[in-house]
Amino acid sequence: MIAAMDIQITKASRSRINEIDFNNLPFGKNFTDHMLEVDYSDGEWGLVRIRPFQSLVLSPSLAALHYGQAIFEGIKAYRDPAGNAFIFRPFDNFTRFNISAARMRMPAVPEELFIEGMRKLVELDRDWIPMKNDYSLYIRPIMFATDEVIGVKASDNYKFMILLSPTGPYYAAPMRIYVEEKYTRAAPGGVGFAKTAGNYGSAMQVTAEAREKGYDQVLWMDAFEHKWVQEIGTMNVFFIIGNRAITPDLNSGTILAGVTRDSVIEILKELGYSVEERPIHIDEVIEAHRNGALREIFGTGTAATVSMIRELTYKDYSMTFDTGTWTVAPSVKSLLTDIREGRKPDKHGWMFKV
Ligand code: COI
Protein backbone atom coordinates (compact mmCIF):
# COMPACT_ATOMS: atom_id res chain seq x y z
CA MET A 1 0.00 0.00 0.00
CA ILE A 2 1.29 3.44 -0.88
CA ALA A 3 1.34 6.01 1.93
CA ALA A 4 -0.77 9.12 1.57
CA MET A 5 1.34 11.99 0.35
CA ASP A 6 0.73 15.71 0.18
CA ILE A 7 0.50 16.89 -3.39
CA GLN A 8 -0.14 20.53 -4.20
CA ILE A 9 -2.50 20.55 -7.17
CA THR A 10 -3.06 23.55 -9.41
CA LYS A 11 -5.58 22.71 -12.09
CA ALA A 12 -5.47 24.04 -15.63
CA SER A 13 -8.07 26.76 -16.07
CA ARG A 14 -9.13 25.24 -19.40
CA SER A 15 -8.54 21.74 -20.78
CA ARG A 16 -6.83 21.38 -24.20
CA ILE A 17 -8.32 17.93 -24.74
CA ASN A 18 -10.72 19.07 -27.46
CA GLU A 19 -7.79 20.32 -29.55
CA ILE A 20 -6.39 16.78 -29.85
CA ASP A 21 -7.21 14.43 -32.74
CA PHE A 22 -7.45 11.12 -30.88
CA ASN A 23 -7.42 9.23 -34.18
CA ASN A 24 -3.99 10.59 -35.03
CA LEU A 25 -1.57 10.46 -32.12
CA PRO A 26 2.08 10.41 -33.21
CA PHE A 27 4.33 9.19 -30.40
CA GLY A 28 5.27 11.86 -27.86
CA LYS A 29 3.87 14.92 -29.64
CA ASN A 30 0.86 15.76 -27.47
CA PHE A 31 0.86 16.28 -23.73
CA THR A 32 -2.04 16.28 -21.29
CA ASP A 33 -3.23 19.25 -19.26
CA HIS A 34 -1.01 18.60 -16.23
CA MET A 35 2.49 17.53 -15.20
CA LEU A 36 4.08 16.52 -11.90
CA GLU A 37 7.19 18.23 -10.60
CA VAL A 38 9.33 17.95 -7.47
CA ASP A 39 12.80 19.23 -6.64
CA TYR A 40 15.56 17.56 -4.66
CA SER A 41 17.94 19.69 -2.64
CA ASP A 42 19.81 19.49 0.69
CA GLY A 43 19.47 15.71 0.55
CA GLU A 44 15.68 15.58 0.43
CA TRP A 45 12.70 15.73 -1.88
CA GLY A 46 10.57 18.87 -1.55
CA LEU A 47 6.91 19.63 -2.15
CA VAL A 48 5.24 17.52 -4.84
CA ARG A 49 3.35 19.75 -7.27
CA ILE A 50 0.94 18.95 -10.06
CA ARG A 51 0.39 21.96 -12.25
CA PRO A 52 -0.64 22.85 -15.80
CA PHE A 53 1.76 21.45 -18.44
CA GLN A 54 4.15 24.26 -19.31
CA SER A 55 7.73 25.15 -20.23
CA LEU A 56 10.42 25.38 -17.57
CA VAL A 57 12.84 28.24 -17.06
CA LEU A 58 16.32 26.71 -16.74
CA SER A 59 19.82 28.11 -16.53
CA PRO A 60 22.14 27.43 -19.50
CA SER A 61 24.61 26.19 -16.90
CA LEU A 62 22.21 23.39 -15.89
CA ALA A 63 24.37 20.34 -15.07
CA ALA A 64 22.14 17.85 -16.95
CA LEU A 65 22.65 19.74 -20.21
CA HIS A 66 26.42 19.52 -19.95
CA TYR A 67 27.17 16.10 -18.49
CA GLY A 68 24.03 14.09 -19.12
CA GLN A 69 22.93 13.16 -15.62
CA ALA A 70 19.42 12.44 -16.84
CA ILE A 71 17.32 9.28 -16.65
CA PHE A 72 13.78 8.40 -17.63
CA GLU A 73 11.15 5.68 -17.85
CA GLY A 74 8.36 4.70 -20.21
CA ILE A 75 5.10 3.32 -18.83
CA LYS A 76 1.57 3.07 -20.22
CA ALA A 77 -1.93 3.59 -18.85
CA TYR A 78 -5.06 2.03 -20.36
CA ARG A 79 -8.78 2.01 -19.80
CA ASP A 80 -10.87 -1.15 -19.61
CA PRO A 81 -14.18 -1.40 -21.52
CA ALA A 82 -16.00 0.08 -18.49
CA GLY A 83 -13.70 3.10 -18.60
CA ASN A 84 -11.64 2.26 -15.47
CA ALA A 85 -8.03 3.45 -15.71
CA PHE A 86 -5.05 1.15 -15.06
CA ILE A 87 -1.27 1.57 -15.22
CA PHE A 88 0.77 -1.36 -16.55
CA ARG A 89 3.42 -2.65 -14.09
CA PRO A 90 4.46 0.74 -12.64
CA PHE A 91 6.34 -0.89 -9.74
CA ASP A 92 8.70 -2.62 -12.18
CA ASN A 93 9.51 0.68 -13.85
CA PHE A 94 9.92 2.26 -10.42
CA THR A 95 12.54 -0.35 -9.52
CA ARG A 96 14.36 0.12 -12.82
CA PHE A 97 14.24 3.92 -12.45
CA ASN A 98 16.15 3.73 -9.18
CA ILE A 99 18.64 1.23 -10.65
CA SER A 100 19.33 3.82 -13.38
CA ALA A 101 19.52 6.56 -10.71
CA ALA A 102 22.11 4.65 -8.68
CA ARG A 103 24.32 4.05 -11.75
CA MET A 104 24.19 7.76 -12.63
CA ARG A 105 24.93 8.84 -9.05
CA MET A 106 21.48 10.37 -8.67
CA PRO A 107 19.21 10.16 -5.59
CA ALA A 108 16.60 7.42 -5.30
CA VAL A 109 13.01 8.52 -5.82
CA PRO A 110 10.77 7.25 -3.00
CA GLU A 111 8.11 4.73 -3.98
CA GLU A 112 5.19 6.86 -2.79
CA LEU A 113 6.42 9.82 -4.83
CA PHE A 114 6.84 7.78 -8.01
CA ILE A 115 3.72 5.61 -7.73
CA GLU A 116 1.23 7.81 -5.89
CA GLY A 117 2.38 10.90 -7.80
CA MET A 118 1.84 9.04 -11.07
CA ARG A 119 -1.50 7.63 -9.95
CA LYS A 120 -2.77 11.06 -8.95
CA LEU A 121 -1.58 12.67 -12.19
CA VAL A 122 -3.18 9.94 -14.33
CA GLU A 123 -6.39 10.21 -12.29
CA LEU A 124 -6.53 13.94 -12.96
CA ASP A 125 -5.96 13.52 -16.71
CA ARG A 126 -7.73 10.16 -17.08
CA ASP A 127 -9.99 11.47 -19.87
CA TRP A 128 -6.84 11.67 -22.00
CA ILE A 129 -6.35 7.88 -21.97
CA PRO A 130 -7.31 6.80 -25.50
CA MET A 131 -9.80 3.95 -25.70
CA LYS A 132 -8.80 2.78 -29.16
CA ASN A 133 -7.11 -0.61 -29.68
CA ASP A 134 -3.30 -0.29 -29.49
CA TYR A 135 -3.55 3.31 -28.22
CA SER A 136 -2.67 4.30 -24.66
CA LEU A 137 -1.49 7.09 -22.40
CA TYR A 138 2.31 7.06 -22.39
CA ILE A 139 3.76 8.05 -19.01
CA ARG A 140 7.22 9.60 -18.99
CA PRO A 141 8.91 9.96 -15.57
CA ILE A 142 12.19 11.85 -15.87
CA MET A 143 14.90 13.01 -13.45
CA PHE A 144 17.72 15.38 -14.29
CA ALA A 145 20.55 17.23 -12.56
CA THR A 146 19.75 20.87 -11.79
CA ASP A 147 22.98 22.26 -10.30
CA GLU A 148 23.80 25.48 -12.10
CA VAL A 149 27.53 24.79 -12.10
CA ILE A 150 29.69 23.50 -14.92
CA GLY A 151 32.26 21.81 -12.70
CA VAL A 152 32.31 18.08 -13.45
CA LYS A 153 30.77 16.41 -10.43
CA ALA A 154 27.54 14.69 -9.42
CA SER A 155 24.89 17.36 -9.00
CA ASP A 156 23.52 18.20 -5.55
CA ASN A 157 20.13 19.25 -6.96
CA TYR A 158 17.69 17.35 -9.16
CA LYS A 159 14.24 17.66 -10.64
CA PHE A 160 11.84 14.72 -10.96
CA MET A 161 8.90 15.12 -13.29
CA ILE A 162 6.13 13.03 -14.82
CA LEU A 163 4.63 13.90 -18.19
CA LEU A 164 1.67 12.21 -19.88
CA SER A 165 1.27 11.81 -23.62
CA PRO A 166 -1.65 10.11 -25.37
CA THR A 167 -0.17 7.96 -28.10
CA GLY A 168 -0.82 5.52 -30.94
CA PRO A 169 1.42 2.68 -32.20
CA TYR A 170 5.15 3.57 -32.24
CA TYR A 171 6.15 1.53 -35.27
CA ALA A 172 3.24 1.43 -37.67
CA ALA A 173 4.57 -1.35 -39.92
CA PRO A 174 6.90 -4.40 -39.70
CA MET A 175 10.50 -3.25 -39.65
CA ARG A 176 13.69 -3.68 -41.64
CA ILE A 177 16.85 -3.84 -39.56
CA TYR A 178 20.48 -4.76 -40.01
CA VAL A 179 23.19 -6.08 -37.76
CA GLU A 180 25.28 -3.10 -36.62
CA GLU A 181 29.00 -3.84 -36.89
CA LYS A 182 30.56 -0.38 -36.83
CA TYR A 183 28.98 1.25 -33.79
CA THR A 184 28.42 -0.13 -30.28
CA ARG A 185 25.62 0.71 -27.88
CA ALA A 186 27.08 -0.63 -24.64
CA ALA A 187 29.99 -2.49 -23.09
CA PRO A 188 30.21 -4.41 -19.80
CA GLY A 189 30.78 -1.98 -16.95
CA GLY A 190 29.05 0.81 -18.88
CA VAL A 191 25.49 2.10 -18.68
CA GLY A 192 23.69 -0.20 -21.15
CA PHE A 193 21.32 -1.50 -18.46
CA ALA A 194 20.37 2.03 -17.35
CA LYS A 195 17.67 4.12 -18.97
CA THR A 196 19.87 7.15 -19.20
CA ALA A 197 19.49 9.90 -21.81
CA GLY A 198 22.96 9.40 -23.32
CA ASN A 199 22.16 5.85 -24.43
CA TYR A 200 19.55 7.32 -26.74
CA GLY A 201 21.55 10.40 -27.76
CA SER A 202 24.47 8.25 -28.89
CA ALA A 203 22.14 6.16 -31.06
CA MET A 204 20.84 9.11 -33.10
CA GLN A 205 23.63 9.06 -35.69
CA VAL A 206 23.39 5.28 -35.99
CA THR A 207 19.63 5.35 -36.55
CA ALA A 208 20.00 8.19 -39.05
CA GLU A 209 22.52 6.13 -41.03
CA ALA A 210 20.16 3.16 -40.93
CA ARG A 211 17.33 5.35 -42.29
CA GLU A 212 19.57 6.69 -45.07
CA LYS A 213 20.17 3.08 -46.10
CA GLY A 214 16.41 2.38 -46.12
CA TYR A 215 16.25 0.55 -42.77
CA ASP A 216 14.24 1.42 -39.67
CA GLN A 217 16.67 0.48 -36.92
CA VAL A 218 19.79 -1.56 -36.17
CA LEU A 219 20.35 -4.73 -34.20
CA TRP A 220 23.03 -3.84 -31.67
CA MET A 221 25.76 -6.40 -31.07
CA ASP A 222 28.32 -6.89 -28.27
CA ALA A 223 31.20 -4.42 -28.05
CA PHE A 224 34.08 -6.88 -28.52
CA GLU A 225 33.24 -9.21 -31.41
CA HIS A 226 30.05 -7.69 -32.87
CA LYS A 227 28.75 -11.27 -32.96
CA TRP A 228 26.51 -11.55 -29.90
CA VAL A 229 23.01 -10.14 -30.14
CA GLN A 230 22.09 -7.35 -27.70
CA GLU A 231 18.94 -5.37 -28.51
CA ILE A 232 17.26 -3.32 -31.21
CA GLY A 233 17.11 0.48 -30.86
CA THR A 234 14.30 1.10 -28.30
CA MET A 235 13.40 -2.63 -28.04
CA ASN A 236 14.52 -6.00 -26.70
CA VAL A 237 14.63 -8.75 -29.31
CA PHE A 238 13.13 -12.26 -29.55
CA PHE A 239 13.82 -15.01 -32.10
CA ILE A 240 11.36 -17.85 -32.63
CA ILE A 241 13.35 -20.88 -33.71
CA GLY A 242 11.20 -23.99 -34.01
CA ASN A 243 9.13 -24.05 -30.84
CA ARG A 244 11.67 -22.13 -28.81
CA ALA A 245 11.65 -18.42 -28.09
CA ILE A 246 15.17 -17.12 -27.55
CA THR A 247 16.14 -13.71 -26.18
CA PRO A 248 19.52 -12.45 -24.94
CA ASP A 249 19.99 -12.78 -21.17
CA LEU A 250 20.66 -9.69 -19.06
CA ASN A 251 23.85 -10.91 -17.37
CA SER A 252 26.30 -8.75 -19.31
CA GLY A 253 24.75 -5.52 -17.97
CA THR A 254 24.63 -4.19 -21.53
CA ILE A 255 20.93 -4.73 -22.21
CA LEU A 256 17.93 -2.87 -20.83
CA ALA A 257 15.77 -5.09 -18.61
CA GLY A 258 12.55 -4.41 -20.47
CA VAL A 259 9.29 -4.66 -18.55
CA THR A 260 7.58 -5.62 -21.80
CA ARG A 261 10.37 -8.17 -22.39
CA ASP A 262 9.60 -9.75 -19.03
CA SER A 263 5.84 -9.73 -19.74
CA VAL A 264 6.35 -11.30 -23.17
CA ILE A 265 8.48 -14.08 -21.63
CA GLU A 266 5.56 -14.89 -19.30
CA ILE A 267 3.05 -14.80 -22.15
CA LEU A 268 5.21 -16.98 -24.41
CA LYS A 269 5.39 -19.58 -21.63
CA GLU A 270 1.60 -19.41 -21.22
CA LEU A 271 1.25 -20.00 -24.95
CA GLY A 272 3.37 -23.15 -24.68
CA TYR A 273 6.74 -21.97 -25.97
CA SER A 274 9.93 -22.84 -24.20
CA VAL A 275 11.77 -19.60 -23.50
CA GLU A 276 15.55 -19.43 -23.43
CA GLU A 277 17.29 -16.37 -21.99
CA ARG A 278 20.91 -16.81 -23.02
CA PRO A 279 23.67 -15.42 -25.24
CA ILE A 280 22.74 -15.62 -28.95
CA HIS A 281 25.48 -15.68 -31.57
CA ILE A 282 24.60 -14.20 -34.97
CA ASP A 283 25.80 -17.43 -36.66
CA GLU A 284 23.08 -19.33 -34.78
CA VAL A 285 20.45 -16.97 -36.24
CA ILE A 286 21.86 -17.33 -39.76
CA GLU A 287 22.07 -21.11 -39.42
CA ALA A 288 18.46 -21.30 -38.17
CA HIS A 289 17.37 -19.20 -41.13
CA ARG A 290 19.32 -21.35 -43.60
CA ASN A 291 17.75 -24.56 -42.31
CA GLY A 292 14.23 -23.09 -42.20
CA ALA A 293 13.86 -23.13 -38.39
CA LEU A 294 13.88 -19.34 -37.89
CA ARG A 295 10.18 -18.48 -37.94
CA GLU A 296 9.91 -14.99 -36.52
CA ILE A 297 11.93 -12.10 -35.11
CA PHE A 298 10.27 -9.38 -33.09
CA GLY A 299 11.09 -6.52 -30.77
CA THR A 300 9.41 -5.62 -27.49
CA GLY A 301 9.27 -2.32 -25.63
CA THR A 302 6.86 -0.05 -23.79
CA ALA A 303 6.52 2.39 -26.68
CA ALA A 304 6.87 -0.28 -29.39
CA THR A 305 4.83 -3.02 -27.62
CA VAL A 306 5.49 -6.02 -29.93
CA SER A 307 6.94 -5.06 -33.32
CA MET A 308 7.55 -7.55 -36.11
CA ILE A 309 10.86 -7.54 -38.00
CA ARG A 310 10.27 -8.29 -41.67
CA GLU A 311 13.92 -8.17 -42.65
CA LEU A 312 17.22 -8.74 -40.85
CA THR A 313 20.39 -8.24 -42.84
CA TYR A 314 23.84 -9.39 -41.74
CA LYS A 315 26.66 -8.25 -44.06
CA ASP A 316 25.31 -9.30 -47.49
CA TYR A 317 22.97 -12.00 -46.14
CA SER A 318 19.35 -10.86 -45.96
CA MET A 319 16.67 -12.74 -44.08
CA THR A 320 13.23 -11.67 -45.21
CA PHE A 321 9.92 -12.83 -43.82
CA ASP A 322 6.29 -12.76 -44.81
CA THR A 323 4.97 -11.43 -41.51
CA GLY A 324 1.39 -11.95 -42.73
CA THR A 325 1.84 -15.69 -42.07
CA TRP A 326 3.25 -15.30 -38.54
CA THR A 327 1.42 -16.66 -35.53
CA VAL A 328 3.63 -16.07 -32.48
CA ALA A 329 4.21 -12.30 -32.45
CA PRO A 330 0.56 -11.55 -33.32
CA SER A 331 -0.79 -13.84 -30.59
CA VAL A 332 1.65 -12.50 -27.99
CA LYS A 333 0.71 -8.95 -28.91
CA SER A 334 -3.00 -9.56 -28.89
CA LEU A 335 -2.93 -11.38 -25.52
CA LEU A 336 -0.83 -8.59 -24.00
CA THR A 337 -3.13 -5.91 -25.45
CA ASP A 338 -6.22 -7.78 -24.23
CA ILE A 339 -4.81 -7.96 -20.70
CA ARG A 340 -3.87 -4.28 -20.77
CA GLU A 341 -7.19 -3.15 -22.16
CA GLY A 342 -9.14 -5.30 -19.70
CA ARG A 343 -10.60 -7.83 -22.15
CA LYS A 344 -8.66 -10.78 -20.68
CA PRO A 345 -8.09 -11.53 -16.98
CA ASP A 346 -4.98 -10.04 -15.40
CA LYS A 347 -3.65 -13.30 -13.91
CA HIS A 348 -0.23 -11.80 -13.19
CA GLY A 349 -1.43 -8.76 -11.25
CA TRP A 350 0.16 -6.43 -13.79
CA MET A 351 -2.58 -3.81 -13.90
CA PHE A 352 -2.45 -1.14 -11.18
CA LYS A 353 -5.81 0.52 -10.70
CA VAL A 354 -5.74 4.31 -10.80
C1 COI B 1 9.97 3.15 -24.23
O1 COI B 1 9.71 2.16 -24.88
O2 COI B 1 9.23 3.57 -23.34
C2 COI B 1 11.18 3.89 -24.46
O3 COI B 1 11.59 4.55 -23.57
C3 COI B 1 11.84 3.81 -25.78
C4 COI B 1 11.86 5.10 -26.53
C5 COI B 1 10.53 5.63 -26.86
C6 COI B 1 12.75 6.10 -25.94
PDB file of all heavy atoms in Angstrom, residues 27 72 74 138 140 170 195 200 234 301-304, ligand 1:
ATOM      1  N   PHE A  27       3.703   9.418 -31.699  1.00  0.00           N
ATOM      2  CA  PHE A  27       4.333   9.187 -30.399  1.00  0.00           C
ATOM      3  C   PHE A  27       4.975  10.464 -29.842  1.00  0.00           C
ATOM      4  O   PHE A  27       5.782  11.119 -30.509  1.00  0.00           O
ATOM      5  CB  PHE A  27       5.398   8.094 -30.506  1.00  0.00           C
ATOM      6  CG  PHE A  27       6.079   7.842 -29.197  1.00  0.00           C
ATOM      7  CD1 PHE A  27       5.458   7.072 -28.218  1.00  0.00           C
ATOM      8  CD2 PHE A  27       7.312   8.400 -28.913  1.00  0.00           C
ATOM      9  CE1 PHE A  27       6.059   6.858 -26.986  1.00  0.00           C
ATOM     10  CE2 PHE A  27       7.927   8.191 -27.680  1.00  0.00           C
ATOM     11  CZ  PHE A  27       7.301   7.420 -26.720  1.00  0.00           C
ATOM     12  N   PHE A  72      15.228   8.343 -17.417  1.00  0.00           N
ATOM     13  CA  PHE A  72      13.778   8.403 -17.633  1.00  0.00           C
ATOM     14  C   PHE A  72      13.184   7.008 -17.618  1.00  0.00           C
ATOM     15  O   PHE A  72      13.886   6.005 -17.506  1.00  0.00           O
ATOM     16  CB  PHE A  72      13.466   9.152 -18.936  1.00  0.00           C
ATOM     17  CG  PHE A  72      13.888   8.447 -20.196  1.00  0.00           C
ATOM     18  CD1 PHE A  72      12.981   7.700 -20.916  1.00  0.00           C
ATOM     19  CD2 PHE A  72      15.189   8.531 -20.673  1.00  0.00           C
ATOM     20  CE1 PHE A  72      13.348   7.053 -22.093  1.00  0.00           C
ATOM     21  CE2 PHE A  72      15.575   7.901 -21.848  1.00  0.00           C
ATOM     22  CZ  PHE A  72      14.645   7.152 -22.562  1.00  0.00           C
ATOM     23  N   GLY A  74       9.516   4.706 -19.308  1.00  0.00           N
ATOM     24  CA  GLY A  74       8.363   4.700 -20.208  1.00  0.00           C
ATOM     25  C   GLY A  74       7.357   3.695 -19.673  1.00  0.00           C
ATOM     26  O   GLY A  74       7.705   2.533 -19.426  1.00  0.00           O
ATOM     27  N   TYR A 138       0.898   7.321 -22.693  1.00  0.00           N
ATOM     28  CA  TYR A 138       2.306   7.062 -22.389  1.00  0.00           C
ATOM     29  C   TYR A 138       2.721   7.943 -21.214  1.00  0.00           C
ATOM     30  O   TYR A 138       2.453   9.146 -21.201  1.00  0.00           O
ATOM     31  CB  TYR A 138       3.155   7.382 -23.619  1.00  0.00           C
ATOM     32  CG  TYR A 138       4.622   7.021 -23.467  1.00  0.00           C
ATOM     33  CD1 TYR A 138       5.050   5.703 -23.614  1.00  0.00           C
ATOM     34  CD2 TYR A 138       5.565   7.993 -23.166  1.00  0.00           C
ATOM     35  CE1 TYR A 138       6.387   5.367 -23.477  1.00  0.00           C
ATOM     36  CE2 TYR A 138       6.908   7.664 -23.024  1.00  0.00           C
ATOM     37  CZ  TYR A 138       7.312   6.343 -23.187  1.00  0.00           C
ATOM     38  OH  TYR A 138       8.636   6.022 -23.053  1.00  0.00           O
ATOM     39  N   ARG A 140       5.772   9.374 -18.910  1.00  0.00           N
ATOM     40  CA  ARG A 140       7.220   9.596 -18.985  1.00  0.00           C
ATOM     41  C   ARG A 140       7.739  10.234 -17.688  1.00  0.00           C
ATOM     42  O   ARG A 140       7.726  11.450 -17.536  1.00  0.00           O
ATOM     43  CB  ARG A 140       7.511  10.483 -20.204  1.00  0.00           C
ATOM     44  CG  ARG A 140       8.937  10.999 -20.342  1.00  0.00           C
ATOM     45  CD  ARG A 140       9.982   9.913 -20.301  1.00  0.00           C
ATOM     46  NE  ARG A 140       9.957   8.951 -21.372  1.00  0.00           N
ATOM     47  CZ  ARG A 140      10.558   9.078 -22.557  1.00  0.00           C
ATOM     48  NH1 ARG A 140      11.222  10.179 -22.835  1.00  0.00           N
ATOM     49  NH2 ARG A 140      10.502   8.107 -23.444  1.00  0.00           N
ATOM     50  N   TYR A 170       3.848   2.926 -32.029  1.00  0.00           N
ATOM     51  CA  TYR A 170       5.152   3.573 -32.242  1.00  0.00           C
ATOM     52  C   TYR A 170       5.706   3.234 -33.618  1.00  0.00           C
ATOM     53  O   TYR A 170       6.116   4.109 -34.367  1.00  0.00           O
ATOM     54  CB  TYR A 170       6.101   3.092 -31.146  1.00  0.00           C
ATOM     55  CG  TYR A 170       7.399   3.849 -31.052  1.00  0.00           C
ATOM     56  CD1 TYR A 170       7.452   5.122 -30.503  1.00  0.00           C
ATOM     57  CD2 TYR A 170       8.593   3.276 -31.482  1.00  0.00           C
ATOM     58  CE1 TYR A 170       8.648   5.817 -30.400  1.00  0.00           C
ATOM     59  CE2 TYR A 170       9.799   3.954 -31.379  1.00  0.00           C
ATOM     60  CZ  TYR A 170       9.813   5.229 -30.837  1.00  0.00           C
ATOM     61  OH  TYR A 170      11.004   5.900 -30.735  1.00  0.00           O
ATOM     62  N   LYS A 195      18.455   3.343 -18.008  1.00  0.00           N
ATOM     63  CA  LYS A 195      17.667   4.120 -18.966  1.00  0.00           C
ATOM     64  C   LYS A 195      18.107   5.575 -18.820  1.00  0.00           C
ATOM     65  O   LYS A 195      17.411   6.414 -18.239  1.00  0.00           O
ATOM     66  CB  LYS A 195      16.168   3.932 -18.706  1.00  0.00           C
ATOM     67  CG  LYS A 195      15.355   4.068 -19.979  1.00  0.00           C
ATOM     68  CD  LYS A 195      14.022   3.382 -19.866  1.00  0.00           C
ATOM     69  CE  LYS A 195      13.147   3.717 -21.055  1.00  0.00           C
ATOM     70  NZ  LYS A 195      13.592   3.144 -22.323  1.00  0.00           N
ATOM     71  N   TYR A 200      20.417   7.023 -25.596  1.00  0.00           N
ATOM     72  CA  TYR A 200      19.547   7.321 -26.740  1.00  0.00           C
ATOM     73  C   TYR A 200      20.205   8.372 -27.629  1.00  0.00           C
ATOM     74  O   TYR A 200      20.153   8.277 -28.855  1.00  0.00           O
ATOM     75  CB  TYR A 200      18.157   7.745 -26.231  1.00  0.00           C
ATOM     76  CG  TYR A 200      17.505   6.594 -25.498  1.00  0.00           C
ATOM     77  CD1 TYR A 200      17.838   6.298 -24.176  1.00  0.00           C
ATOM     78  CD2 TYR A 200      16.629   5.745 -26.148  1.00  0.00           C
ATOM     79  CE1 TYR A 200      17.317   5.197 -23.510  1.00  0.00           C
ATOM     80  CE2 TYR A 200      16.080   4.640 -25.498  1.00  0.00           C
ATOM     81  CZ  TYR A 200      16.435   4.371 -24.184  1.00  0.00           C
ATOM     82  OH  TYR A 200      15.918   3.268 -23.550  1.00  0.00           O
ATOM     83  N   THR A 234      15.563   0.951 -29.050  1.00  0.00           N
ATOM     84  CA  THR A 234      14.297   1.103 -28.301  1.00  0.00           C
ATOM     85  C   THR A 234      13.548  -0.211 -27.996  1.00  0.00           C
ATOM     86  O   THR A 234      12.442  -0.165 -27.481  1.00  0.00           O
ATOM     87  CB  THR A 234      13.281   2.079 -28.961  1.00  0.00           C
ATOM     88  OG1 THR A 234      12.631   1.439 -30.049  1.00  0.00           O
ATOM     89  CG2 THR A 234      13.918   3.371 -29.431  1.00  0.00           C
ATOM     90  N   GLY A 301       8.940  -3.523 -26.399  1.00  0.00           N
ATOM     91  CA  GLY A 301       9.266  -2.321 -25.630  1.00  0.00           C
ATOM     92  C   GLY A 301       7.975  -1.648 -25.202  1.00  0.00           C
ATOM     93  O   GLY A 301       6.902  -1.961 -25.735  1.00  0.00           O
ATOM     94  N   THR A 302       8.082  -0.730 -24.254  1.00  0.00           N
ATOM     95  CA  THR A 302       6.862  -0.046 -23.795  1.00  0.00           C
ATOM     96  C   THR A 302       6.246   0.731 -24.952  1.00  0.00           C
ATOM     97  O   THR A 302       5.064   0.564 -25.263  1.00  0.00           O
ATOM     98  CB  THR A 302       7.183   0.913 -22.632  1.00  0.00           C
ATOM     99  OG1 THR A 302       7.681   0.138 -21.561  1.00  0.00           O
ATOM    100  CG2 THR A 302       5.949   1.671 -22.177  1.00  0.00           C
ATOM    101  N   ALA A 303       7.052   1.583 -25.589  1.00  0.00           N
ATOM    102  CA  ALA A 303       6.517   2.385 -26.685  1.00  0.00           C
ATOM    103  C   ALA A 303       6.151   1.483 -27.859  1.00  0.00           C
ATOM    104  O   ALA A 303       5.091   1.602 -28.463  1.00  0.00           O
ATOM    105  CB  ALA A 303       7.534   3.434 -27.109  1.00  0.00           C
ATOM    106  N   ALA A 304       7.030   0.542 -28.174  1.00  0.00           N
ATOM    107  CA  ALA A 304       6.865  -0.276 -29.388  1.00  0.00           C
ATOM    108  C   ALA A 304       5.902  -1.446 -29.200  1.00  0.00           C
ATOM    109  O   ALA A 304       5.480  -2.045 -30.187  1.00  0.00           O
ATOM    110  CB  ALA A 304       8.226  -0.810 -29.812  1.00  0.00           C
TER     111      ALA A 304
HETATM  112  C1  COI B   1       9.968   3.153 -24.225  1.00  0.00           C
HETATM  113  O1  COI B   1       9.710   2.159 -24.879  1.00  0.00           O
HETATM  114  O2  COI B   1       9.229   3.567 -23.337  1.00  0.00           O
HETATM  115  C2  COI B   1      11.181   3.894 -24.464  1.00  0.00           C
HETATM  116  O3  COI B   1      11.588   4.554 -23.571  1.00  0.00           O
HETATM  117  C3  COI B   1      11.835   3.806 -25.777  1.00  0.00           C
HETATM  118  C4  COI B   1      11.861   5.101 -26.529  1.00  0.00           C
HETATM  119  C5  COI B   1      10.527   5.630 -26.860  1.00  0.00           C
HETATM  120  C6  COI B   1      12.752   6.099 -25.937  1.00  0.00           C
END
